[in-house]
Amino acid sequence: MGSQRTVPQVRASKRRYGADPLVMVTAYDAPSGRVATEADVDMILVGDSLAMVVLGYNDTLHVTVEQIAYHVAAVCRSEPTALVVGDMPWMSFHVSAVETVRNAATLVRAGAQCVKMEGGAKRIPMIKPILDAEIPVVAHIGLTPQSANVMGGFKIQAREAAAVQTLVSDATALEEAGCFAMVIEGVPDVVGAMVTEAVSIPTIGIGAGVSTDGQVLVYHDLIGLENRFKPRFVRRYGTAYEDQVAALAAFADDVRSGAFPSADESYQATDELAEALGLYGSQPTESEGS
Ligand code: KIV
């Protein structure tokens, strides 16, 4: 495997300047980190979607910096080749600049090379201190799940001209503030294209059409482990849920029928141990048995 992707490499990955599209997936533990490396993705996001796809909550608001850091560390123990982005969860960058920098540093100390923050230009006062602490920042605009209560749910954004203008001006302000990449979520495809055109940093879309500089999907959606609901922008590349149910059901059948474990899957006692336990004497020999 190659060396780990860096922030400057990702910063330079703009399709209009000839770069290949960026591939980002979420991951939350060492096995998914290993899979992401084997599949040669460019960026791993240890996202606050952790709250929903791993921890079982109905929104992303229930996950803390400590929990994200715990999962960043697990991913990083797999020695990923992708750039690792730690997601700043709700309330980790809303109270004060000091707390914000400390929280971002917690994710960096856990192994993240940069952090992601949801929200438009109004987040810049909290983004700047993080950048001043030498922590690179990925912005996240459009459908920002941490604002689900304000948005009235996970609703597609920028459906009206005024909202599109605000989104584009947020994007340019975030680039100017120093963000090195930007996730755009849940907007019409033309809006994804307009934002991508308006900025010179790479945009990474999720439900933002084909024109962004990269695409991101949530790991559990992509492999089909999350099978309860499927937003339009999700393409399932696997049937992990069904595969895992089938594997566990086959295990259950084998245990109940006595087919598992076999002798080959068991540890045999040495002759000395068997003799010391008196097992030879109590076993009928072939000639006695016949
Ligand atoms: O937390 C997350 O998984 C995300 C992606 C949907 C971009 O923010």
Side-chain angles (χ1 to χ4, degrees):
M1 290 293 159
S3 52
Q4 193 171 19
R5 312 284 203 281
T6 65
V7 166
Q9 282 169 344
V10 168
R11 168 74 178 79
S13 296
K14 194 75 184 164
R15 278 168 71 196
R16 70 168 176 252
Y17 304 134
D20 287 336
L22 284 167
V23 180
M24 185 196 233
V25 293
T26 66
Y28 314 97
D29 54 20
S32 51
R34 224 164 44 234
V35 172
T37 294
E38 189 91 15
D40 196 27
V41 308
D42 299 308
M43 302 170 77
I44 291 175
L45 169 65
V46 184
D48 62 359
S49 49
L50 169 73
M52 298 176 77
V53 296
V54 175
L55 303 180
Y57 292 107
N58 288 325
D59 57 43
T60 61
L61 305 178
H62 291 83
V63 80
T64 63
V65 177
E66 288 69 29
Q67 287 170 316
I68 300 271
Y70 181 84
H71 287 267
V72 166
V75 166
C76 289
R77 281 192 286 272
S78 74
E79 299 184 7
T81 51
L83 184 85
V84 176
V85 185
D87 214 358
M88 293 283 281
W90 182 60
M91 289 308 285
S92 69
F93 53 97
H94 303 71
V95 176
S96 72
V98 172
E99 243 186 75
T100 298
V101 175
R102 278 215 183 99
N103 288 331
T106 297
L107 300 188
V108 171
R109 291 227 164 106
Q113 288 147 286
C114 55
V115 298
K116 176 173 82 58
M117 291 166 70
E118 290 188 13
K122 72 174 175 190
R123 298 295 170 215
I124 290 173
M126 294 299 174
I127 289 174
K128 285 233 154 108
I130 298 184
L131 294 170
D132 282 347
E134 314 300 339
I135 301 171
V137 176
V138 178
H140 181 162
I141 58 171
L143 195 178
T144 45
Q146 290 171 14
S147 324
N149 286 326
V150 176
M151 291 172 172
F154 300 114
K155 299 248 170 77
I156 299 305
Q157 299 298 299
R159 284 189 176 284
E160 282 157 18
V164 175
Q165 263 169 16
T166 304
L167 196 74
V168 172
S169 85
D170 275 351
T172 53
L174 288 161
E175 174 180 14
E176 225 164 89
C179 296
F180 76 95
M182 184 174 298
V183 169
I184 311 175
E185 178 168 356
V187 298
D189 53 0
V190 290
V191 178
M194 281 176 71
V195 172
T196 300
E197 181 63 32
V199 296
S200 65
I201 56 175
T203 58
I204 304 160
I206 175 162
V210 299
S211 304
T212 51
D213 297 300
Q215 297 289 334
V216 52
L217 280 179
V218 168
Y219 192 93
H220 292 54
D221 289 337
L222 187 165
I223 65 166
L225 188 51
E226 174 52 76
N227 70 344
R228 291 167 295 182
F229 58 96
K230 182 182 157 315
R232 177 201 285 242
F233 58 78
V234 167
R235 185 180 296 176
R236 295 213 196 293
Y237 288 89
T239 52
Y241 188 85
E242 291 77 8
D243 295 347
Q244 292 187 31
V245 171
L248 267 62
F251 169 63
D253 282 351
D254 283 355
V255 170
R256 290 180 184 130
S257 71
F260 178 86
S262 67
D264 281 352
E265 289 156 333
S266 307
Y267 298 100
Q268 277 75 48
T270 59
D271 288 348
E272 291 77 19
L273 177 60
E275 200 168 346
L277 296 175
L279 296 177
Y280 284 149
S282 60
Q283 307 277 330
T285 63
E286 253 179 54
S287 55
E288 282 168 344
S290 56

mmCIF file of all heavy atoms in Angstrom, residues 1 6 13 16 59-60 82 86 101 114 126 134 152 182 184 191 197 212 233-234 250 268 270 276 283-284 288:
data_model
loop_
_atom_site.group_PDB
_atom_site.id
_atom_site.type_symbol
_atom_site.label_atom_id
_atom_site.label_comp_id
_atom_site.label_asym_id
_atom_site.label_seq_id
_atom_site.Cartn_x
_atom_site.Cartn_y
_atom_site.Cartn_z
ATOM 1 N N MET A 1 0.843 -1.206 0.000
ATOM 2 C CA MET A 1 0.000 0.000 0.000
ATOM 3 C C MET A 1 0.879 1.258 0.000
ATOM 4 O O MET A 1 1.982 1.235 0.521
ATOM 5 C CB MET A 1 -0.907 0.017 1.240
ATOM 6 C CG MET A 1 -2.010 -1.032 1.200
ATOM 7 S SD MET A 1 -3.227 -0.692 -0.098
ATOM 8 C CE MET A 1 -3.932 -2.297 -0.292
ATOM 9 N N THR A 6 -2.273 13.315 1.962
ATOM 10 C CA THR A 6 -2.060 14.501 2.787
ATOM 11 C C THR A 6 -3.100 15.582 2.453
ATOM 12 O O THR A 6 -3.724 15.555 1.384
ATOM 13 C CB THR A 6 -0.660 15.096 2.546
ATOM 14 O OG1 THR A 6 -0.613 15.553 1.188
ATOM 15 C CG2 THR A 6 0.442 14.084 2.789
ATOM 16 N N SER A 13 -6.873 18.610 -5.436
ATOM 17 C CA SER A 13 -7.665 17.671 -6.262
ATOM 18 C C SER A 13 -8.927 18.319 -6.820
ATOM 19 O O SER A 13 -10.043 17.955 -6.447
ATOM 20 C CB SER A 13 -8.014 16.435 -5.435
ATOM 21 O OG SER A 13 -6.856 15.751 -5.087
ATOM 22 N N ARG A 16 -11.443 20.441 -12.359
ATOM 23 C CA ARG A 16 -11.250 21.335 -13.512
ATOM 24 C C ARG A 16 -9.774 21.615 -13.794
ATOM 25 O O ARG A 16 -9.426 22.122 -14.852
ATOM 26 C CB ARG A 16 -12.050 22.628 -13.347
ATOM 27 C CG ARG A 16 -11.577 23.582 -12.298
ATOM 28 C CD ARG A 16 -12.289 24.952 -12.469
ATOM 29 N NE ARG A 16 -11.939 25.879 -11.435
ATOM 30 C CZ ARG A 16 -12.742 26.258 -10.444
ATOM 31 N NH1 ARG A 16 -13.963 25.788 -10.348
ATOM 32 N NH2 ARG A 16 -12.329 27.129 -9.552
ATOM 33 N N ASP A 59 -30.779 10.512 15.030
ATOM 34 C CA ASP A 59 -30.142 11.704 14.461
ATOM 35 C C ASP A 59 -28.680 11.708 14.883
ATOM 36 O O ASP A 59 -28.226 10.795 15.587
ATOM 37 C CB ASP A 59 -30.879 12.988 14.891
ATOM 38 C CG ASP A 59 -30.938 13.119 16.402
ATOM 39 O OD1 ASP A 59 -29.919 12.858 17.059
ATOM 40 O OD2 ASP A 59 -32.003 13.479 16.940
ATOM 41 N N THR A 60 -27.965 12.751 14.443
ATOM 42 C CA THR A 60 -26.517 12.789 14.732
ATOM 43 C C THR A 60 -26.195 13.609 15.987
ATOM 44 O O THR A 60 -25.021 13.840 16.280
ATOM 45 C CB THR A 60 -25.744 13.393 13.538
ATOM 46 O OG1 THR A 60 -26.207 14.734 13.327
ATOM 47 C CG2 THR A 60 -25.930 12.577 12.274
ATOM 48 N N ALA A 82 -5.694 6.455 3.488
ATOM 49 C CA ALA A 82 -6.539 7.617 3.184
ATOM 50 C C ALA A 82 -6.286 8.734 4.201
ATOM 51 O O ALA A 82 -5.846 8.464 5.328
ATOM 52 C CB ALA A 82 -8.008 7.196 3.231
ATOM 53 N N GLY A 86 -11.697 13.882 11.016
ATOM 54 C CA GLY A 86 -12.509 13.700 12.230
ATOM 55 C C GLY A 86 -13.663 14.696 12.207
ATOM 56 O O GLY A 86 -13.451 15.894 12.010
ATOM 57 N N VAL A 101 -11.196 24.765 19.818
ATOM 58 C CA VAL A 101 -9.825 24.356 19.485
ATOM 59 C C VAL A 101 -9.449 23.103 20.272
ATOM 60 O O VAL A 101 -8.857 22.160 19.742
ATOM 61 C CB VAL A 101 -8.816 25.502 19.749
ATOM 62 C CG1 VAL A 101 -7.393 25.024 19.515
ATOM 63 C CG2 VAL A 101 -9.126 26.685 18.850
ATOM 64 N N CYS A 114 -7.236 16.181 10.056
ATOM 65 C CA CYS A 114 -8.000 17.412 9.877
ATOM 66 C C CYS A 114 -9.389 17.171 10.467
ATOM 67 O O CYS A 114 -9.709 16.045 10.856
ATOM 68 C CB CYS A 114 -8.113 17.752 8.392
ATOM 69 S SG CYS A 114 -8.815 16.421 7.409
ATOM 70 N N MET A 126 -15.481 30.299 14.455
ATOM 71 C CA MET A 126 -14.954 29.121 15.156
ATOM 72 C C MET A 126 -13.948 28.347 14.284
ATOM 73 O O MET A 126 -13.108 27.610 14.800
ATOM 74 C CB MET A 126 -16.098 28.187 15.567
ATOM 75 C CG MET A 126 -17.016 28.792 16.613
ATOM 76 S SD MET A 126 -16.134 29.170 18.151
ATOM 77 C CE MET A 126 -17.430 30.008 19.055
ATOM 78 N N GLU A 134 -3.254 25.349 13.477
ATOM 79 C CA GLU A 134 -2.626 24.486 12.463
ATOM 80 C C GLU A 134 -3.414 23.207 12.217
ATOM 81 O O GLU A 134 -2.847 22.172 11.866
ATOM 82 C CB GLU A 134 -1.158 24.130 12.822
ATOM 83 C CG GLU A 134 -0.293 25.291 13.278
ATOM 84 C CD GLU A 134 -0.168 26.398 12.227
ATOM 85 O OE1 GLU A 134 -0.398 26.123 11.046
ATOM 86 O OE2 GLU A 134 0.132 27.539 12.621
ATOM 87 N N GLY A 152 -36.376 21.093 9.938
ATOM 88 C CA GLY A 152 -37.618 20.299 9.937
ATOM 89 C C GLY A 152 -37.386 18.895 9.414
ATOM 90 O O GLY A 152 -38.267 18.297 8.792
ATOM 91 N N MET A 182 -14.567 20.866 0.872
ATOM 92 C CA MET A 182 -15.925 21.189 1.295
ATOM 93 C C MET A 182 -16.865 20.044 0.937
ATOM 94 O O MET A 182 -16.880 19.619 -0.227
ATOM 95 C CB MET A 182 -16.333 22.446 0.532
ATOM 96 C CG MET A 182 -17.670 23.023 0.861
ATOM 97 S SD MET A 182 -17.839 24.589 -0.049
ATOM 98 C CE MET A 182 -16.502 25.558 0.633
ATOM 99 N N ILE A 184 -20.607 18.959 0.233
ATOM 100 C CA ILE A 184 -21.911 19.562 -0.094
ATOM 101 C C ILE A 184 -22.925 18.438 -0.058
ATOM 102 O O ILE A 184 -22.815 17.464 -0.804
ATOM 103 C CB ILE A 184 -21.964 20.168 -1.516
ATOM 104 C CG1 ILE A 184 -20.763 21.052 -1.780
ATOM 105 C CG2 ILE A 184 -23.252 20.954 -1.705
ATOM 106 C CD1 ILE A 184 -20.731 21.551 -3.224
ATOM 107 N N VAL A 191 -27.050 22.961 -8.259
ATOM 108 C CA VAL A 191 -26.471 23.758 -7.158
ATOM 109 C C VAL A 191 -25.102 23.180 -6.780
ATOM 110 O O VAL A 191 -24.142 23.928 -6.533
ATOM 111 C CB VAL A 191 -27.437 23.791 -5.951
ATOM 112 C CG1 VAL A 191 -26.825 24.562 -4.789
ATOM 113 C CG2 VAL A 191 -28.780 24.402 -6.359
ATOM 114 N N GLU A 197 -18.153 25.204 -9.138
ATOM 115 C CA GLU A 197 -17.612 26.204 -10.063
ATOM 116 C C GLU A 197 -17.120 27.438 -9.301
ATOM 117 O O GLU A 197 -16.106 28.053 -9.666
ATOM 118 C CB GLU A 197 -18.748 26.580 -11.039
ATOM 119 C CG GLU A 197 -18.433 27.590 -12.105
ATOM 120 C CD GLU A 197 -17.357 27.101 -13.063
ATOM 121 O OE1 GLU A 197 -17.293 25.881 -13.294
ATOM 122 O OE2 GLU A 197 -16.588 27.961 -13.541
ATOM 123 N N THR A 212 -19.618 17.562 -8.667
ATOM 124 C CA THR A 212 -18.686 17.892 -7.587
ATOM 125 C C THR A 212 -17.334 17.227 -7.861
ATOM 126 O O THR A 212 -17.221 16.346 -8.710
ATOM 127 C CB THR A 212 -19.255 17.421 -6.225
ATOM 128 O OG1 THR A 212 -19.634 16.050 -6.351
ATOM 129 C CG2 THR A 212 -20.461 18.248 -5.825
ATOM 130 N N PHE A 233 -29.865 9.332 -3.002
ATOM 131 C CA PHE A 233 -28.462 9.466 -3.418
ATOM 132 C C PHE A 233 -27.595 8.259 -3.049
ATOM 133 O O PHE A 233 -26.413 8.199 -3.399
ATOM 134 C CB PHE A 233 -27.842 10.739 -2.824
ATOM 135 C CG PHE A 233 -27.885 10.814 -1.319
ATOM 136 C CD1 PHE A 233 -26.987 10.100 -0.553
ATOM 137 C CD2 PHE A 233 -28.827 11.599 -0.679
ATOM 138 C CE1 PHE A 233 -27.015 10.171 0.830
ATOM 139 C CE2 PHE A 233 -28.872 11.672 0.699
ATOM 140 C CZ PHE A 233 -27.960 10.956 1.461
ATOM 141 N N VAL A 234 -28.179 7.302 -2.337
ATOM 142 C CA VAL A 234 -27.372 6.138 -1.942
ATOM 143 C C VAL A 234 -27.409 5.082 -3.034
ATOM 144 O O VAL A 234 -28.475 4.751 -3.551
ATOM 145 C CB VAL A 234 -27.901 5.535 -0.614
ATOM 146 C CG1 VAL A 234 -27.282 4.160 -0.355
ATOM 147 C CG2 VAL A 234 -27.614 6.478 0.548
ATOM 148 N N ALA A 250 -26.613 -19.598 9.546
ATOM 149 C CA ALA A 250 -25.933 -20.870 9.243
ATOM 150 C C ALA A 250 -25.168 -21.349 10.471
ATOM 151 O O ALA A 250 -25.168 -22.547 10.798
ATOM 152 C CB ALA A 250 -24.989 -20.686 8.056
ATOM 153 N N GLN A 268 -7.083 -31.054 20.256
ATOM 154 C CA GLN A 268 -6.997 -32.397 20.821
ATOM 155 C C GLN A 268 -5.980 -32.426 21.965
ATOM 156 O O GLN A 268 -4.960 -31.727 21.906
ATOM 157 C CB GLN A 268 -6.600 -33.409 19.739
ATOM 158 C CG GLN A 268 -7.796 -33.910 18.895
ATOM 159 C CD GLN A 268 -8.285 -32.884 17.898
ATOM 160 O OE1 GLN A 268 -7.473 -32.301 17.182
ATOM 161 N NE2 GLN A 268 -9.585 -32.642 17.837
ATOM 162 N N THR A 270 -2.984 -33.912 24.214
ATOM 163 C CA THR A 270 -1.808 -34.734 23.916
ATOM 164 C C THR A 270 -2.039 -36.117 24.523
ATOM 165 O O THR A 270 -2.898 -36.283 25.416
ATOM 166 C CB THR A 270 -0.552 -34.123 24.556
ATOM 167 O OG1 THR A 270 -0.781 -34.048 25.969
ATOM 168 C CG2 THR A 270 -0.269 -32.737 23.986
ATOM 169 N N ALA A 276 -3.018 -39.001 31.548
ATOM 170 C CA ALA A 276 -3.113 -38.483 32.917
ATOM 171 C C ALA A 276 -4.561 -38.318 33.354
ATOM 172 O O ALA A 276 -4.893 -38.472 34.532
ATOM 173 C CB ALA A 276 -2.395 -37.136 32.994
ATOM 174 N N GLN A 283 -12.086 -45.346 27.260
ATOM 175 C CA GLN A 283 -12.595 -45.422 25.871
ATOM 176 C C GLN A 283 -12.600 -46.885 25.432
ATOM 177 O O GLN A 283 -11.589 -47.563 25.582
ATOM 178 C CB GLN A 283 -11.658 -44.656 24.919
ATOM 179 C CG GLN A 283 -11.352 -43.236 25.316
ATOM 180 C CD GLN A 283 -12.442 -42.282 24.873
ATOM 181 O OE1 GLN A 283 -13.063 -42.551 23.867
ATOM 182 N NE2 GLN A 283 -12.678 -41.230 25.619
ATOM 183 N N PRO A 284 -13.699 -47.367 24.859
ATOM 184 C CA PRO A 284 -13.655 -48.718 24.314
ATOM 185 C C PRO A 284 -12.685 -48.757 23.126
ATOM 186 O O PRO A 284 -12.646 -47.812 22.343
ATOM 187 C CB PRO A 284 -15.096 -48.980 23.830
ATOM 188 C CG PRO A 284 -15.751 -47.647 23.792
ATOM 189 C CD PRO A 284 -14.969 -46.709 24.655
ATOM 190 N N GLU A 288 -12.691 -54.041 21.346
ATOM 191 C CA GLU A 288 -13.751 -54.228 22.342
ATOM 192 C C GLU A 288 -15.107 -53.838 21.797
ATOM 193 O O GLU A 288 -16.126 -54.457 22.077
ATOM 194 C CB GLU A 288 -13.458 -53.378 23.577
ATOM 195 C CG GLU A 288 -12.395 -53.960 24.495
ATOM 196 C CD GLU A 288 -11.939 -52.941 25.540
ATOM 197 O OE1 GLU A 288 -12.213 -51.726 25.370
ATOM 198 O OE2 GLU A 288 -11.319 -53.369 26.495
#
